[in-house]
Amino acid sequence: MNLKDHIRTIPDFPKPGILFYDISTLLAHKEAWQVAVAQLTEVVAPYKPDILAGIESRGFLVAAPLALQLGCGFLMIRKKGKLPGETIAFEYDLEYGTDVIEIQADAVAPGQRVVILDDLLATGGTLAAAIGLLRLCGANPVAAACLMELTFLQGRDRVDIPVTTLLRYDE
């Protein structure tokens, strides 16, 4: 099955000049979604994660069912102010400014093996920040996996852990 056949492209979203790769059509197609989860399971299982981390928000859709499949925990990496209780924050640079991501202070234990999941690897900034945040907490981010990658943005060059993507878009 070619999973690209189940990704809808939407031009000029969220702003002119951007081609948005929409995974909602993949999620809605039960066979394609099962194939995607099975492929991610094969990729992630060898890293023997204790917990999977999903990056807000589409990363949650990828990480949660995969955690269930692998029999491990799931934690959410969210934008600032979205999590209750005590949180640990990590500020990182954007092209024009900064942003902050957080996890709950008790979401991960020191030394836990973490695989980070998201729907898309683009510039790599948020993934690099997630790695930094997990390390700040004492966790051991061992790998990352995404459904798609925009290879022309060279996002994987910004991270120092293995990254696997199921689909690659070169332009």
Side-chain angles (χ1 to χ4, degrees):
M1 174 180 292
N2 185 352
L3 293 177
K4 280 187 177 181
D5 292 342
H6 301 282
I7 304 291
R8 176 174 44 197
T9 56
I10 301 173
D12 299 319
F13 183 82
K15 60 185 182 179
I18 301 291
L19 181 61
F20 184 80
Y21 293 90
D22 182 15
I23 66 166
S24 63
T25 47
L26 175 71
L27 296 169
H29 192 279
K30 68 178 180 179
E31 290 88 5
W33 183 228
Q34 288 172 347
V35 167
V37 170
Q39 288 179 4
L40 286 168
T41 299
E42 287 181 28
V43 166
V44 171
Y47 291 102
K48 300 184 180 355
D50 298 309
I51 194 163
L52 300 183
I55 297 175
E56 184 169 338
S57 66
R58 289 180 298 273
F60 302 166
L61 300 172
V62 178
L66 192 60
L68 184 64
Q69 184 77 17
L70 291 169
C72 61
F74 164 69
L75 71 90
M76 295 177 284
I77 297 175
R78 299 214 57 191
K79 295 174 184 172
K80 184 176 181 161
K82 301 286 186 177
L83 291 169
E86 184 181 347
T87 60
I88 299 172
F90 189 89
E91 184 173 338
Y92 63 103
D93 292 326
L94 299 170
E95 189 174 349
Y96 300 105
T98 61
D99 206 351
V100 176
I101 55 173
E102 297 179 326
I103 63 172
Q104 290 173 312
D106 60 355
V108 64
Q112 275 193 306
R113 296 175 59 82
V114 183
V115 174
I116 304 165
L117 281 295
D118 207 353
D119 69 321
L120 177 69
L121 174 60
T123 65
T126 306
L127 179 55
I131 294 165
L133 174 59
L134 290 164
R135 286 182 176 150
L136 178 68
C137 298
N140 180 17
V142 294
C146 300
L147 288 172
M148 303 173 291
E149 177 180 4
L150 305 181
T151 57
F152 56 94
L153 295 176
Q154 301 174 332
R156 66 177 52 240
D157 295 345
R158 294 186 67 182
V159 300
D160 61 356
I161 61 175
V163 179
T164 303
T165 56
L166 299 185
L167 306 171
R168 292 168 188 83
Y169 295 90
D170 299 325
E171 54 183 285

